[in-house]
Amino acid sequence: MPREMPPVSEIADAYRAQHKKRLSWMPWLYYSLKPAHRAWAGEWQAQVQDELRRLETVTIGADCFIAPEAAIFAEPNRTVVIGDRCAIAAEVFLHGPVVLGNGVSINHRASLDGGRHGIVIGDGTRIAHHVTVYAFNHGIALDRPIAEQPVNSRGIRIGRDVWIGANVGITDGVSIGDYAVIGMGSVVTRDVPPYAIMAGAPARQIGDRRAPRRK
């Protein structure tokens, strides 16, 4: 006996669920959807973002994509501000205070915690997967166990149009200048000048984006 095909509506629902998953892990695809798909995806995103606004102290700009699998937490006095046309992928951890400029993208499983003094990220910056940005640090004195050490926070500033590669770590107190590039796997422990190309652990400057490129 030939196997019966499931109803067309059931197939369509399964396809849409899979497409939502695809968008959650690759949110840049949201902005290239055909109008018919953008219509249902826009309604879905409105629901996701409205629920987030209801539950957390979050401001979300226009035309953003936020994966429902993202974990965004913003208690009073630890607000999260998301600019226009930002994209936040699946399993991102975002804890305020955090301010994202316009057009910021954060790829899957990145982790950002604003500590007490916050993280500020400029327009157009791209953050790859598994990046960690922690705006706080524990003391390490020997007068008490690590679990009892005081926590301090100075805050982190990341400029506009910065590219932060996969698996980068950025420590508290660091400022990264506009147009900088941080290479994959780097650990940034000191301020980064504008246009710098950084790599290594700890990261050091290996180039300048304004310098002529060798062919």
Side-chain angles (χ1 to χ4, degrees):
M1 294 289 292
R3 188 174 62 180
E4 291 187 7
M5 292 292 293
V8 173
S9 60
E10 188 175 318
I11 295 173
D13 288 346
Y15 170 80
R16 184 167 294 182
Q18 182 67 11
H19 207 23
K20 286 179 178 179
K21 186 186 296 185
R22 178 181 288 105
L23 294 172
S24 287
W25 288 87
M26 297 179 285
W28 56 88
L29 298 176
Y30 178 72
Y31 298 101
S32 59
L33 289 174
K34 294 179 180 179
H37 294 304
R38 187 65 186 268
W40 64 256
E43 293 177 3
W44 167 54
Q45 274 299 297
Q47 294 171 358
V48 169
Q49 294 173 32
D50 285 346
E51 180 71 358
L52 187 57
R53 292 186 186 97
R54 185 178 72 85
L55 297 173
E56 300 288 342
T57 312
V58 174
T59 300
I60 304 172
D63 199 24
C64 289
F65 181 93
I66 300 176
E69 301 89 348
I72 299 177
F73 303 108
E75 302 86 4
N77 300 318
R78 295 190 68 128
T79 58
V80 171
V81 178
I82 300 171
D84 297 340
R85 207 174 167 82
C86 288
I88 299 175
E91 298 186 9
V92 166
F93 169 73
L94 195 62
H95 185 207
V98 173
V99 177
L100 306 181
N102 297 327
V104 173
S105 71
I106 304 176
N107 281 2
H108 61 275
R109 292 178 177 158
S111 184
L112 293 82
D113 193 310
R116 179 174 296 178
H117 289 286
I119 298 168
V120 177
I121 300 175
D123 295 348
T125 285
R126 296 290 188 263
I127 297 177
H129 67 278
H130 288 200
V131 168
T132 54
V133 186
Y134 293 143
F136 66 92
N137 208 344
H138 289 271
I140 58 172
L142 291 174
D143 62 340
R144 66 189 82 178
I146 287 292
E148 299 175 10
Q149 291 288 336
V151 175
N152 55 69
S153 173
R154 293 183 290 165
I156 292 173
R157 300 292 180 269
I158 300 173
R160 61 183 294 125
D161 195 29
V162 173
W163 178 16
I164 299 175
N167 298 305
V168 165
I170 300 174
T171 61
D172 184 38
V174 163
S175 177
I176 297 178
D178 297 343
Y179 314 112
V181 173
I182 313 298
M184 180 186 296
S186 300
V187 179
V188 183
T189 60
R190 297 182 178 180
D191 289 354
V192 174
Y195 299 97
I197 302 171
M198 309 289 292
R204 62 182 182 85
Q205 187 168 353
I206 61 170
D208 188 302
R209 292 182 65 193
R210 296 167 294 188
R213 299 293 298 272
R214 294 182 179 179
K215 295 184 179 180

